[in-house]
Amino acid sequence: KGMLAPKFKDVDLGRAEIRQVYKITGVGVVAGCYVLEGKIARNANIRVVRDGIIVADDKLSSLKRFKDDVREVASGYECGMTMEKFNDIKEGDILEAYVVEEYRED
């Protein structure tokens, strides 16, 4: 049992819509978002969905609420996010937050 390779699955946390895009010197591109459902966590992976098509898959590098760094933002709140590699975000994109969990079949 311990020698079997673990299996991984994606667990969805929440979805956010990009309302505005800011370009900040030294930081890069910041997405001003509104959390539609669930929650967005700082350690989450992010899928960028544009017109129903997954455009990018990246890791969240920072999550802010006003000027404070936060661990997570719940549904119905606004936040600012930056991604590690992907910068080509547009207003109206949907960001889906998910984490990869390891599970074992018994």
Side-chain angles (χ1 to χ4, degrees):
K1 189 172 184 179
M3 296 185 60
L4 292 174
K7 292 185 168 71
F8 297 98
K9 64 179 176 182
D10 293 348
V11 178
D12 290 335
L13 294 177
R15 295 173 57 229
E17 178 188 6
I18 297 179
R19 297 273 171 99
Q20 200 160 8
V21 178
Y22 304 97
K23 289 180 175 59
I24 300 175
T25 313
V27 178
V29 181
V30 176
C33 302
Y34 178 78
V35 182
L36 300 170
E37 60 188 44
K39 65 181 179 183
I40 307 294
R42 190 192 298 163
N43 63 346
N45 294 326
I46 298 289
R47 252 185 238 117
V48 181
V49 180
R50 185 176 298 153
D51 301 324
I53 300 162
I54 297 175
V55 181
D57 203 334
D58 201 356
K59 189 129 178 72
L60 202 58
S61 66
S62 80
L63 180 64
K64 289 187 183 270
R65 181 136 169 72
F66 299 111
K67 293 188 176 189
D68 305 322
D69 278 310
V70 289
R71 230 180 252 136
E72 62 183 38
V73 177
S75 172
Y77 290 102
E78 294 175 335
C79 61
M81 297 188 229
T82 56
M83 262 89 69
E84 286 182 355
K85 299 179 189 103
F86 188 71
N87 286 330
D88 183 32
I89 52 177
K90 292 184 171 53
E91 291 179 21
D93 287 354
I94 301 293
L95 302 178
E96 294 180 346
Y98 69 96
V99 290
V100 178
E101 281 189 358
E102 181 181 315
Y103 73 100
R104 299 189 189 278
E105 291 178 344
D106 294 327

